[in-house]
Amino acid sequence: MGQTIAEKIISAHLVSGTMKRGEPINIKIDQTLTHDVNGVAAYLQFEAVGMDRVQNELAVSYIDHNLIQADFRNSDDHRYLMDVAAKHGIITSRMGNGICHQVHLERFDIPGKVLLGSDSHTPAAGGVGMLGLGAGGLDVALAMAGEPFSLKMPQIVKVNLTGKLQPFVSAKNVVLELLRRVTVKGGVNKIYEYAGPGISTLNVTERAIITNMGTETGATSSIFPSDEVTKAWMRAQNRENEWHPLAADPDAVYDDVIEIDLAQIEPLIALPHQPDRVVPISEVEGLPVDQVVIGSCANSSLQDILSIATMLENKSVHPRVDAGLYIGSKQVYLESVARGAFLAVIKAGVRVLESGCGACNGSGFAPPTNGISLRTTTRNFLGRCGHPSGNVYLVGPEVAVASAITGVITDPRKLGITPVEYQMPEKFMIEDNMFIYPSQNGSEISIRRGPNISPPPVLEALPDVISSPVLIKLGEDITTDHIVPAGANFLPMRNNTPEIAKYVFHVVDASFAKRAQEAGGGFIVAGVNYGQGSSREQAALAPRYLGVKTIIAKSFARIHLANLVNFGILPLVFINESDYEKIDQGDYLIIEFEAILNKDSATVTNKSKQLDILVKSPLTSEELEIVKKGGRLNWIKLRA
C-alpha cells in the first residue's frame, strides 16, 4: 500500500512508535523556529535543560510579534533573544526583517523536512511540502536539545481541489470554505493533505495561506505536494538546490476525502468571534466598517500587496475607515517598492506599517470601542484585537480593500475593477543582512537579561489526592486568548509568569486570578475544544502558577493538551459529556491521581452535590508520569 505525503515524511523521521492512527509517536525535528513573544520562555527553558548548542539542523529566532518597544520590556526581550541565539547556535531574524512564517517560507523551508515552531501557524511551511508543526516553547526547547517531538499519529485527510479561483476570490477564501465545512474543531488530530488538478493553479504563497490557516480547524498540520510550482518558487529564491519532488503515491489511502471546486468559491467572511463562523459576503454586505487591516502571516506576500495596490489605483480610503498594511517581509517590502506598488497604497490613504505581526495579535492598531474591523489576519477571537469590545471579521485582501474604499462591507467583484493576473518574479530580490548568524564560540557571549525576564517557576509534583473547588466553569471553544490575553498591554508580561498570572481569564472573568490565589488553586471545568488557538504555553503555565492542578473538559485542543503535560496540569475528559451539567463553579471536587493510571475510567467526587462523575485521561502512561512529577522539566531532571 502506498503512502501519503505526510506518511512519507513521518516515516522518514520516526524515532519510536508506529504510524497507527491515534497512537503515540516520536519524530525527529530538522528545524525549529521561535518568535519574540513565546521565544524568551523557550530559550529560558533551553538554558534550564543545560545544553550549550542547538542539536537540530537549523534554529531561527524571529523578532516579529511585539515591535512597539513602548518601554524597556520589549527592548530587553529582544536583546536577550539576540544574545542567547548568538551563544547557542541560533540564527536571529532582526526587528523589521519580517513575519516568521513568511520569512521562513522564503529562506529556509525545505520539502520533506520537519519544522517545529513555538507558534501555531507553523504549518504555513506546508506550502512547500514541508511538515510544519506548532508546539509550546518547552517542546521547541527540547527539540533544540535533540529530543524527539511527541504527538499522536494523526488521520490524513485528502482535500481534493479542482477548478480555478475566480478573479477577486483569493486563496484566503479556500481555507475559509474549509473552516465553514469542518469548524474550528473538525481538524483535531488530522493532517489536511491537498491534491487534485486545482493545486497547479495555486502558487506557493497561496498554498501557504491555506496551510497556515488550516491551524484554525485544530489540525495538526496541512501540506501540499512539492512539485514544479514549488521548484519555480525555490529557484526564484535562489534555493533550487534544496528542492526535490514529493507527492503521495497513486495508491495512498486516506482516512477521509473533502472535495472543493475552486471555481465555485465566492468571497467569504468569518463573523466575530470564531474563524469558522463563515458566511458568503452577500449576507453582511453594506455593514459599516471602522477599520481595515491587511497583513499577518496569512496575507502579506508580494501577491497580496500587488493585488491591493491595483485595486487602490486612483481610489481613496473612505473617510470613516482607518486602513493599515503590515508587510510580510523585507523581501516583500523591497519588491513592492521596486514595482511602485506603495505609491497607489499611500496615495489612497492606507497607513504602511512595519514588517511584523502587529494588529493580528493586538500589538497596536486596535479598533475603536464596539468598532468593526475587517482583517486579513488568522484569528478573530474575543479580545484578540486588544480589547473585548472590538468586532473582528476575517476576509481576503480583496474584500478588505473594497470595503476600505466604500466604507461598508463590499463584494470586490462589484466595483468594476479590471483584474490583473499575478506573475511571480523569476528571481526575487534577496537581501539577507537582517539575519544575525551565531558565534562560533558561544562561551564568549554574555547574555543580557532585563528585569522583566524571570526564569521558569519551580513547579511542585502533584499530590496523590487532588481536592479543591471549581474556580471557573467555561463553555465550548475556549481559546488561549481567553486564558491569557493578547494585546499590547499584555504581550510584554508573557516572559514574567507572576505578572501574566494576574490576568488569567481576564477577558471572561477579571476576578479569576484573585479567587484562585485565595483558594490556593482549584479545578477548571470546560466544554469542547478547550485551549483552541495559539501555542502560547503561558495559557498552561500561568494557571499552574495560580495553583490549578486539574482541568476537566469535554475535549482539548492538541497543542494546549501538550502544554498542560509540560507544566504539570492533569487534563481529564468527561466519559459522559452530559455530566458537564453536574458541576458548577464553587463545587468542591476530589480525585485520586492513582485512579487515573492505566484505567479506562476514574471517579471524580463532587462533594458539594454528593455525586460521582466518571472521567478519563487522554494522556499516555508516560505523560501521566510527567504530570505527576510537576511537568516535563522536573521529569527530565529526575530522569537524568
Side-chain angles (χ1 to χ4, degrees):
M1 185 175 67
Q3 290 186 315
T4 68
I5 298 169
E7 286 171 333
K8 288 182 178 183
I9 297 175
I10 291 171
S11 63
H13 290 78
L14 195 64
V15 174
S16 63
T18 60
M19 294 197 302
K20 183 179 178 181
R21 306 302 195 254
E23 293 296 312
I25 58 173
N26 290 299
I27 60 173
K28 175 181 177 291
I29 299 301
D30 299 309
Q31 298 182 5
T32 61
L33 70 76
T34 62
H35 59 68
D36 46 313
V37 174
N38 290 339
V40 173
Y43 295 123
L44 286 168
Q45 287 157 167
F46 180 79
E47 290 182 293
V49 173
M51 296 293 294
D52 290 329
R53 302 285 284 188
V54 295
Q55 301 298 300
N56 45 299
E57 294 175 10
L58 179 81
V60 187
S61 171
Y62 291 91
I63 303 177
D64 63 351
H65 268 59
N66 196 13
L67 305 179
I68 292 177
Q69 297 180 328
D71 58 31
F72 67 90
R73 293 174 298 176
N74 290 161
S75 295
D76 285 356
D77 289 350
H78 299 163
R79 267 53 185 184
Y80 168 79
L81 290 168
M82 289 188 280
D83 291 345
V84 79
K87 187 177 185 70
H88 293 296
I90 302 156
I91 298 170
T92 296
S93 177
R94 295 162 60 189
M95 300 79 82
N97 199 37
I99 303 170
C100 57
H101 306 303
Q102 176 68 31
V103 178
H104 216 81
L105 189 73
E106 294 167 356
R107 308 309 302 139
F108 301 118
D109 285 340
I110 299 174
K113 297 283 189 177
V114 179
L115 169 67
L116 190 71
S118 66
D119 186 275
S120 55
H121 293 112
T122 304
V128 299
M130 185 179 199
L131 185 62
L133 301 166
L138 179 52
D139 282 318
V140 175
L142 294 174
M144 289 190 292
E147 294 280 334
F149 178 63
S150 302
L151 72 160
K152 290 182 178 179
M153 180 63 197
Q155 295 182 352
I156 316 296
V157 177
K158 181 180 182 180
V159 184
N160 195 56
L161 302 182
T162 57
K164 183 179 180 180
L165 292 170
Q166 305 173 46
F168 302 109
V169 183
S170 60
K172 181 64 155 263
N173 296 281
V174 179
V175 74
L176 289 176
E177 171 65 14
L178 183 68
L179 277 157
R180 183 185 69 81
R181 296 191 192 187
V182 306
T183 79
V184 292
K185 40 192 170 281
V188 174
N189 292 324
K190 296 176 183 176
I191 292 177
Y192 290 112
E193 187 166 303
Y194 288 83
I199 64 172
S200 65
T201 69
L202 301 171
N203 62 44
V204 162
T205 52
E206 290 175 311
R207 295 175 181 188
I209 291 167
I210 296 167
T211 58
N212 178 317
M213 274 196 66
T215 295
E216 305 315 323
T217 69
T220 301
S221 195
S222 300
I223 195 165
F224 276 81
S226 173
D227 54 14
E228 290 300 315
V229 172
T230 318
K231 184 178 183 180
W233 165 264
M234 298 192 74
R235 183 190 303 121
Q237 295 289 350
N238 199 27
R239 295 200 296 127
E240 187 176 358
N241 63 320
E242 295 177 315
W243 175 83
H244 65 268
L246 181 62
D249 292 327
D251 58 342
V253 176
Y254 293 88
D255 297 284
D256 197 5
V257 178
I258 297 172
E259 299 282 350
I260 297 179
D261 183 352
L262 299 176
Q264 296 301 312
I265 298 176
E266 59 184 303
L268 299 170
I269 185 168
L271 311 178
H273 293 284
Q274 285 288 347
D276 63 354
R277 295 193 64 216
V278 176
V279 299
I281 200 76
S282 57
E283 292 192 17
V284 287
E285 271 189 289
L287 185 68
V289 173
D290 298 293
Q291 184 193 71
V292 167
V293 176
I294 300 164
S296 88
C297 57
N299 277 113
S300 57
S301 70
L302 178 61
Q303 181 175 358
D304 294 318
I305 307 306
L306 296 181
S307 175
I308 68 168
T310 298
M311 293 182 66
L312 287 168
E313 191 72 42
N314 299 318
K315 302 286 194 308
S316 292
V317 172
H318 193 277
R320 67 168 290 125
V321 176
D322 296 329
L325 168 63
Y326 290 88
I327 298 95
S329 69
K330 180 182 178 183
Q331 182 181 91
V332 172
Y333 216 123
L334 292 171
E335 293 283 354
S336 299
V337 169
R339 285 162 176 73
F342 286 155
L343 185 62
V345 171
I346 295 169
K347 285 180 68 175
V350 176
R351 294 165 55 189
V352 178
L353 304 157
E354 64 184 322
S355 296
C357 299
C360 182
N361 61 45
S363 184
F365 215 81
T369 302
N370 300 319
I372 292 176
S373 179
L374 264 61
R375 301 186 173 203
T376 68
T377 57
T378 54
R379 291 178 173 145
N380 58 348
F381 300 151
L382 179 68
R384 184 176 173 85
C385 65
H387 59 88
S389 75
N391 296 288
V392 173
Y393 296 70
L394 302 180
V395 295
E398 294 78 17
V399 171
V401 172
S403 305
I405 292 168
T406 62
V408 297
I409 294 177
T410 300
D411 186 332
R413 298 173 298 179
K414 296 181 178 180
L415 292 185
I417 298 173
T418 302
V420 176
E421 187 92 11
Y422 170 71
Q423 296 294 325
M424 189 185 76
E426 289 188 11
K427 292 289 183 181
F428 283 98
M429 300 171 67
I430 297 169
E431 179 53 79
D432 288 342
N433 65 342
M434 294 293 280
F435 291 112
I436 302 174
Y437 289 86
S439 169
Q440 295 302 308
N441 186 359
S443 61
E444 297 176 349
I445 305 294
S446 61
I447 298 175
R448 292 165 287 183
R449 304 173 193 271
N452 188 54
I453 298 174
S454 64
V458 176
L459 302 176
E460 296 180 353
L462 292 191
D464 294 332
V465 178
I466 301 172
S467 57
S468 51
V470 175
L471 297 171
I472 192 168
K473 184 178 181 181
L474 302 154
E476 296 191 357
D477 298 324
I478 293 299
T479 73
T480 51
D481 286 75
H482 288 110
I483 305 168
V484 169
N489 293 331
F490 302 105
L491 292 178
M493 300 178 190
R494 296 236 194 122
N495 306 317
N496 186 331
T497 302
E499 191 63 24
I500 194 63
K502 297 174 184 177
Y503 298 95
V504 171
F505 291 118
H506 184 77
V507 172
V508 292
D509 182 353
S511 69
F512 176 86
K514 181 180 179 182
R515 290 190 292 101
Q517 288 179 313
E518 290 174 347
F523 286 77
I524 293 171
V525 174
V528 173
N529 201 28
Y530 180 81
Q532 170 202 348
S534 165
S535 65
R536 71 191 68 160
E537 62 190 4
Q538 294 86 355
L541 178 56
R544 179 70 165 88
Y545 180 83
L546 293 173
V548 172
K549 297 180 178 66
T550 309
I551 300 174
I552 310 174
K554 294 180 181 179
S555 67
F556 293 87
R558 177 189 67 87
I559 299 177
H560 190 66
L561 183 65
N563 285 338
L564 294 178
V565 174
N566 287 345
F567 296 104
I569 294 180
L570 176 64
L572 301 172
V573 295
F574 293 100
I575 290 179
N576 301 306
E577 289 191 358
S578 60
D579 285 345
Y580 167 86
E581 304 297 338
K582 297 178 181 178
I583 303 177
D584 292 309
Q585 183 172 312
D587 287 355
Y588 199 87
L589 307 183
I590 301 174
I591 187 167
E592 296 182 6
F593 197 96
E594 185 70 25
I596 297 295
L597 300 174
N598 303 315
K599 301 282 180 65
D600 292 331
S601 66
T603 300
V604 171
T605 300
N606 187 333
K607 294 289 288 183
S608 301
K609 291 186 169 62
Q610 294 299 307
L611 52 85
D612 292 334
I613 294 166
L614 291 178
V615 298
K616 62 181 179 180
S617 174
L619 305 182
T620 66
S621 57
E622 183 177 276
E623 288 171 330
L624 285 169
E625 180 185 346
I626 292 168
V627 167
K628 186 66 169 68
K629 296 290 192 255
R632 197 172 292 271
L633 278 179
N634 290 357
W635 180 72
I636 287 171
K637 291 173 182 176
L638 290 169
R639 187 184 62 175

